[in-house]
Every structure is written in C-alpha cells, then in structure tokens.
Amino acid sequence: MIFICGIIAYIGDKNASDIVINGLKKLEYRGYDSWGIAVKSNPSLAIEKQVGKISDFHALDSLPRGCVAMGHTRWATNGSVTKENAHPHTCCKGEVAVVHNGIIENFQELKQQLAHHNFISETDTEIIAHIIEDNLKAGMSFETAVKNAITRLEGRFAIVALSNSSDKVVAARKGSPLVIGVGKDEYYVASDIPAFLEYTNDVVFMEDGDVAVISPGQGIAYTDFHGGKVSRSPTKISWSIEQASLNGYEHYMLKEIMEQRDTLAQAIVQDDAKVKKIAEMINSAHGTFFIGCGTAGKVGTVGSYVFSKVAKKHVNAVVGSEFPSYHDFLTKDTLLVCISQSGETADTLEAIEVAKKKGCKVVSIVNVMGSTMMRMSDEYLLCNSGPEKAVCSTKATTAQMAILTLLAYACAGRLDEGRRLLASVASKVNVMLDDKYTEEIAFLATKIAAHESMYIIGRGLNYPIALEGAIKMQEVPYIHAEGFAGGELKHGPIALIQEGTPCIALVANDDVKKEILINALEVRSRGGFIIGIAPQDNDIFDFWIPVPDLSIASPIVNIIPIQLLSYYTAVEKECDPDKPRNLAKSVTVK
Ligand code: F6R
C-alpha cells in the first residue's frame, strides 16, 4: 500500500472532533478516498470511518464529545479503498489507535512477527498499533511503547498515536511531513499548516527523527526516537486564513489562478544578497541540475532555456524520477536546484539525499516554508505564494518560473534588469486577469469540452509551456492533451490532426515566432482549429487569446490562459477542479 494522506490531531479544551473534522476538510487536497477519526472519550476510543470525501459528510452525531481526537484523510495508489483500510487503525482490543502517512517498508516482515494478532485491514499502518499493544502488555508506558514501535519501522512515516490508557498523544516523524500548531493550552498536530491555520500561526516544524509527546495541560516534550531530549520552538508563519480559504471563490483552483495578480510580485521579493549568493553557486558549479516532478519538472525545463538565453549557461533539467540515471555524474562540484511547491515530493527528496551523500550542494525553490526540501537544502528561496490548495499547481508554477528568471539575470550580473522585467510581468498579469479575459476563456472552454483530445505547440522558451499546458488540460478536465515542439510535428504528431482538432499555438514575439507560425499554419491546413496565445492577433488563428508582450518572460504569462482554460473546461464537464481523480497534492511516496 502506498499512501499520501492528511493527518490532524487536537489536544485542548474545545470539542476535539469538531476541530479534527474541520481540519480534515482543509487537508482533503492531500487525499480524498476515505477518512476516519478517533475521539478519546473515557473509558474508550470512539472511532468513525467512511469511504468517500469528508466534505460530503455534514453531521457526525455519532461521535462523543472529548478534548483529544485525531483524524486522517487517505489517498491510496495501491490497494483497495475500503472502510477497513481507512485510518485510524487500532490494536486488537481497540485500545490503541494510530494514523499514519507514508510507507512502512518492512511491513511484511513485521506482520509475520505479529501473526498472533487479528488483522482487520490490508494496510501497513495496522502493524504499528499491534506492536504498541504488545509493548503495553510487556509493561511499557504508552510513550515508551510508541517510541519502541517506531524504532522497528523502516521507511518514511508521520504517525500520531492515542491510547485509552494514557493522557498522552505521541507524534513521530521520519521522512513524511508533520507540523505542530501551538495555541494557548491547546495543540494541533498536522501534515500541513492549513489544517489549523484558523486557530494559530505558531508552528513547530518537526524534524526527521523527532517524537513529540503532548500532555493535555502540560505541554509538549520533544525527544528523538530513543528518548534523548531535543529542543524545538515555534516559528510564527505569515500565511493568513484568507489565503487558505476560498474567500468567495467557488474553487481553490480559480482563486489561485486569480491570485497570480499578486503572487508574481511577491515571488520577486527576495533578499538580493541571497539571490547573488545562489547565482554565484550556479556560476561556479561544474554541472548544475534543475530537478522537479510534474509541473515543477516543466518549470525546470523552462529554467534551462532561460539560463541558456540570459546567463549563457547550460543547465540540465531532469525530472526527479529519472535522476537516478545521472547519479554517476555527481561530484562535490555539482549543484542541484530543486523546484517544488510542497517541498515534500519523494522523487525530488531522493535526488537530494543521493546528491548530499556525494557531497553536492543543494538549492531549493519551494513554496512551503519549513518543508523537508527547504530544510535539506544548503540555500533556498521561498515562492511566497501562500498556500496552494488545489491539487493542480498554478500560482506556485509561475512564481517558480519568476524566481528562476531572476536567478538567470543574477548569474548574468544583471539582477536589477531581471527585477525590472519581472516587476513589469507582475503588473501586466494584474491588468490582464480581468472579468472580460476570464469570460472569453470560459467561452472557449465550452468548445474545448466537446473534444476528447487537443494539442499544444511551442518552440524555444515556450516548448516546455506546451508540455506544461498539456498537463493542465489532462489532469483537471481529463482531455487527452499533448504538447509538442513545433518543429517535431511533421515527424509524426501531425498525423493526429483532423477537421476541428483544437491546437494551441504559443506564439511569443521572439526569435522563433516565424517558425511557430508556420507550424500553426501546417496544422490549420490539415483542418486543425488554431488557438493562438500571443501578444498580437494573426490570420492563422481561429481564436486569439491575447497576452502581454514580455520577451524572455513569455512562458510566465503564456501558461496562465491555459490554466484558466483547464479550469473552465473542467467546470463545463462537471469535473471537480480542486480534486481531480486519481491525484493528490503532495506526492510524498515514490
Ligand atoms: C500538476 C502538479 C504536479 C506537481 C508535482 C510536483 O499541476 O501539481 O505535477 O507539480 O506533483 O509537486 P511539488 O511541486 O509539490 O514538488
């Protein structure tokens, strides 16, 4: 079983189940196959589990009142979605409950050793509850029983455990994110900050190997897995509840697309000294890799074009899952620039782990402050985009592109020029995203929704945007979209063009404009319906989406109308834009 899930626990004096259910709704972007909650209500633990989205459930009268509870929202890539497999998982007597995000690699081996227990689920998580149960039977305290259990686990995990025999709640982290919100005499443990952001901004980012033992009314004691004391203190985070809520929008995806009116300006608010230091690291490295997965991988490819044009520097853009093929080329002079919204993507984290072992330096460009990637990196730049909750990445994507562009200018010794260009991008996007603009794209979406497939073509800087645009059209409205380099069409893909096939042509005012227009014409001559994303209209276009004329920064503006098209096409097809099928926001397992 592989899980990418959301965890929330509450310890305080409010009605814990209300807070946990509310928190699970906020974490649903991490998984929405099934959910469950455990409430500590003396003398027993009350457990409720359901298959489906927690947002589809309104009242949970079955749960007792209690001041301690924890919940879990699950996303399974492997194994069935059943009530039995939903968390929390309990020991045989139902006296210990565990929620877990991650994967226990030695699960089969441990399960054999626990054959005397009655297993209810197919999950790896359930073994943790049974080990704790055995430890309690052997006379250990609950705290020690949990610590001992986690020392036996191999793999990545974030867990929270409760028992009806102890006041304490024990949370542990190794490789999967876990943060603690500290309120006044109350505590929250969660996979991500939005789960408790409406209650507190004081956050402790647990480190790998940390255990937090929370005692109601007494506070938190941090130790390592073996009980050695560690010191952790809260950081005040600047995200606001408005940023983490819908704030009047019907969906997070549209809200986050529209927030690009501000987030591009926020992305370039970076410390000059830090930007120059990272530029120097890139300039002096022998071999720089831009690593990311999915959309972040496409951003890396955009970056490689921008670096080539602006900084006259060759960098290798590689997707995280393919990076193992490059391990042999890593030396202590290699630099990894890792790109990620969540900062928790397993394939990218693994690239960092390997690179660090080989003595490479690591820089990350991440949106989530305190994320694993940020903490594993020698240097980092934050995207400053605020929480991105729709599964599909939008505002973090353009922020990452802006930061890479800024770095390219810094590498060329022209940081001020880069800043001026990006400030102008930010203000032009602000003007571009008005009601008339979104209405026209919503109209186009009504046409696109009727098609099963579509194509996107670009050249040079906009070739990776064709690839990224295809991801947007696949993952949200489920259109079979493919992105191609314009020059590659005649080597195969043009055979797919039929009467009316939609094809987006990304036509920037740059050195490849003539060629991409010729490619668009080739598609049109074979019956294709050409949607031009360009600063100027052209006779070749059947539908023109205007964008500001921004030379080297054209990838940043060109992706935005495709994000909108993806959103409106999904709405037109009655697909949930925030929770696309089969996907989860943070891919924390390989
Ligand atoms: C697509 C999308 C994904 C992510 C990818 C990496 O819209 O969001 O392809 O880009 O899963 O995630 P992060 O950026 O969190 O590393």
Side-chain angles (χ1 to χ4, degrees):
M1 300 273 177
I2 301 178
F3 302 107
I4 304 168
C5 311
I7 291 175
I8 163 90
Y10 174 77
I11 303 99
D13 51 15
K14 301 197 178 95
N15 186 28
S17 60
D18 291 344
I19 291 183
V20 167
I21 288 165
N22 191 21
L24 285 180
K25 289 181 179 168
K26 302 265 163 53
L27 286 177
E28 219 181 15
Y29 64 92
R30 298 180 67 90
Y32 33 87
D33 288 338
S34 53
W35 58 272
I37 171 166
V39 183
K40 200 159 176 275
S41 116
N42 286 335
S44 56
L45 296 178
I47 305 227
E48 172 78 34
K49 300 192 204 187
Q50 297 283 351
V51 167
K53 298 175 182 170
I54 186 146
S55 46
D56 293 342
F57 290 84
H58 297 295
L60 275 175
D61 302 336
S62 56
L63 288 169
R65 288 187 74 81
C67 295
V68 175
M70 65 183 185
H72 186 274
T73 179
R74 176 180 185 233
W75 183 81
T77 55
N78 193 338
S80 43
V81 177
T82 61
K83 203 164 167 170
E84 288 72 32
N85 287 342
H87 299 212
H89 291 287
T90 57
C91 66
C92 299
K93 291 191 195 148
E95 291 170 354
V96 171
V98 178
V99 290
H100 163 226
N101 173 22
I103 182 157
I104 309 299
E105 283 161 7
N106 57 341
F107 140 68
Q108 295 293 1
E109 190 188 316
L110 290 171
K111 196 166 177 177
Q112 277 166 14
Q113 296 165 18
L114 295 163
H116 52 290
H117 288 277
N118 179 24
F119 279 83
I120 308 282
S121 76
E122 308 161 277
T123 68
D124 51 354
T125 306
E126 193 181 338
I127 57 152
I128 309 173
H130 292 305
I131 300 175
I132 298 172
E133 178 182 9
D134 281 352
N135 288 348
L136 290 173
K137 229 181 258 167
M140 292 183 201
S141 68
F142 178 60
E143 178 179 338
T144 312
V146 178
K147 286 181 185 164
N148 174 278
I150 55 185
T151 57
R152 292 176 60 188
L153 308 178
E154 287 167 19
R156 292 176 187 274
F157 55 84
I159 66 157
V160 182
L162 290 181
S163 157
N164 69 348
S165 63
S166 167
D167 273 357
K168 295 178 175 163
V169 173
V170 184
R173 168 193 168 135
K174 184 183 160 208
S176 294
L178 210 53
V179 288
I180 297 188
V182 183
K184 192 173 175 314
D185 297 328
E186 57 181 10
Y187 307 96
Y188 307 80
V189 184
S191 307
D192 206 352
I193 299 165
F196 54 72
L197 190 58
E198 66 192 86
Y199 312 109
T200 180
N201 284 57
D202 291 319
V203 178
V204 176
F205 295 100
M206 287 180 73
E207 303 277 345
D208 275 349
D210 279 1
V211 179
V213 181
I214 306 166
S215 312
Q218 288 173 43
I220 314 179
Y222 296 97
T223 70
D224 60 26
F225 287 1
H226 303 283
K229 277 207 169 107
V230 292
S231 166
R232 301 280 173 252
S233 45
T235 306
K236 209 169 247 329
I237 59 121
S238 58
W239 290 358
S240 67
I241 184 64
E242 287 73 31
Q243 286 177 305
S245 57
L246 279 167
N247 217 12
Y249 282 92
E250 204 176 331
H251 298 106
Y252 284 106
M253 183 174 171
L254 183 60
K255 175 181 178 246
E256 289 161 7
I257 293 171
M258 299 310 277
E259 279 175 348
Q260 290 172 109
R261 292 187 283 210
D262 302 314
T263 51
L264 281 164
Q266 287 154 17
I268 54 171
V269 180
Q270 302 288 349
D271 173 14
D272 272 4
K274 205 166 169 187
V275 172
K276 284 181 184 159
K277 182 172 178 198
I278 295 172
E280 181 45 39
M281 287 167 81
I282 298 173
N283 278 338
S284 56
H286 287 280
T288 298
F289 288 91
F290 286 175
I291 315 274
C293 296
T295 288
K298 304 296 175 276
V299 170
T301 312
V302 171
S304 70
Y305 278 86
V306 175
F307 265 72
S308 154
K309 285 204 170 291
V310 175
K312 308 288 173 223
K313 190 145 187 77
H314 171 244
V315 295
N316 303 280
V318 183
V319 294
S321 56
E322 289 300 318
F323 192 60
S325 301
Y326 295 83
H327 287 173
D328 286 347
F329 306 112
L330 302 180
T331 72
K332 64 175 184 26
D333 297 320
T334 312
L335 176 70
L336 258 60
V337 178
C338 294
I339 304 150
S340 175
Q341 189 287 129
S342 61
E344 303 293 348
T345 301
D347 286 324
T348 313
L349 291 180
E350 188 184 82
I352 300 180
E353 272 163 24
V354 172
K356 293 230 107 178
K357 278 191 195 132
K358 297 216 175 194
C360 312
K361 287 269 182 285
V362 177
V363 169
S364 61
I365 297 172
V366 289
N367 190 38
V368 177
M369 184 191 176
S371 57
T372 308
M373 209 170 292
M374 177 189 122
R375 284 179 295 124
M376 284 171 84
S377 303
D378 298 290
E379 294 291 341
Y380 63 86
L381 293 172
L382 290 172
C383 299
N384 303 328
S385 304
E388 190 181 73
K389 296 189 73 177
V391 164
C392 163
S393 182
T394 54
K395 61 178 178 172
T397 309
T398 49
Q400 290 158 350
M401 286 194 241
I403 292 172
L404 282 176
T405 306
L406 195 67
L407 280 172
Y409 275 93
C411 284
R414 291 152 52 202
L415 178 57
D416 289 344
E417 185 186 334
R419 261 192 201 292
R420 278 195 300 277
L421 168 68
L422 290 160
S424 126
V425 174
S427 75
K428 287 185 176 159
V429 166
N430 192 321
V431 174
M432 176 180 98
L433 280 174
D434 62 10
D435 287 352
K436 188 166 168 285
Y437 198 74
T438 55
E439 275 159 23
E440 288 197 2
I441 295 177
F443 168 75
L444 176 64
T446 62
K447 311 273 164 236
I448 297 293
H451 290 266
E452 271 180 16
S453 44
M454 67 179 290
Y455 303 97
I456 307 179
I457 55 171
R459 276 179 177 255
L461 284 165
N462 280 289
Y463 163 50
I465 294 302
L467 303 178
E468 165 56 8
I471 297 186
K472 295 296 89 142
M473 297 307 296
Q474 291 158 5
E475 70 178 325
V476 190
Y478 315 141
I479 302 264
H480 176 198
E482 290 199 49
F484 299 113
E488 281 294 292
L489 274 177
K490 53 188 168 295
H491 299 290
I494 203 158
L496 295 168
I497 305 297
Q498 299 178 60
E499 196 57 42
T501 305
C503 176
I504 296 179
L506 300 160
V507 184
N509 250 341
D510 60 12
D511 50 348
V512 291
K513 178 176 172 181
K514 249 193 225 148
E515 285 89 342
I516 193 71
L517 280 171
I518 292 169
N519 298 142
L521 190 56
E522 286 162 355
V523 175
R524 194 168 195 247
S525 313
R526 280 148 186 92
F529 178 84
I530 306 296
I531 301 150
I533 296 184
Q536 291 99 23
D537 199 359
N538 192 291
D539 286 348
I540 298 169
F541 302 157
D542 295 292
F543 192 100
W544 173 46
I545 303 179
V547 282
D549 190 355
L550 283 161
S551 66
I552 206 82
S554 64
I556 303 176
V557 285
N558 285 351
I559 193 59
I560 296 175
I562 308 182
Q563 295 170 347
L564 282 166
L565 187 62
S566 161
Y567 171 77
Y568 284 114
T569 310
V571 171
E572 185 65 25
K573 291 179 71 176
E574 296 183 5
C575 307
D576 183 342
D578 286 344
K579 300 188 194 86
R581 68 184 175 212
N582 309 337
L583 293 170
K585 183 70 178 160
S586 305
V587 185
T588 54
V589 289
K590 284 181 42 125

